[in-house]
């Protein structure tokens, strides 16, 4: 609940995009998502602004993982 679905979705999209452009091997997709989710501390994601901010933070985190 809370912001975790936003983080999961954004991390998955970024990791798969990295795989498709050849920047990451397939087996690292799950590792990347797990790393991002495990470092996430959660929030209530009560507003669209909060959701969009969390999405952008997650995407930046995935890019640094790659």
């Amino acid at each position: 609940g809370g912001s975790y679905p936003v983080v999961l979705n954004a991390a998955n999209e970024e990791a798969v995009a990295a795989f498709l452009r050849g920047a990451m091997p397939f087996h690292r997709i799950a590792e990347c998502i797990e790393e991002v989710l495990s470092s996430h501390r959660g929030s209530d994601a009560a507003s669209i602004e909060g959701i969009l901010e969390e999405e952008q933070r997650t995407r930046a985190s995935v890019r640094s993982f790659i």
Side-chain angles (χ1 to χ4, degrees):
S3 59
Y4 282 92
V6 173
V7 172
L8 174 62
N9 184 65
N12 183 59
E13 286 180 359
E14 285 294 319
V16 170
F19 164 71
L20 291 174
R21 70 175 179 271
M24 178 170 40
F26 181 77
H27 72 275
R28 300 249 0 242
I29 293 173
E31 293 173 16
C32 177
I33 294 168
E34 180 180 5
E35 176 69 26
V36 170
L37 281 172
S38 67
S39 66
H40 180 62
R41 297 297 164 234
S43 67
D44 62 3
S47 68
I48 189 68
E49 293 84 10
I51 291 169
L52 293 174
E53 288 173 11
E54 196 65 62
E55 178 188 25
Q56 291 306 311
R57 277 193 294 273
T58 300
R59 290 179 186 279
S61 179
V62 170
R63 289 183 201 121
S64 70
F65 180 87
I66 298 167

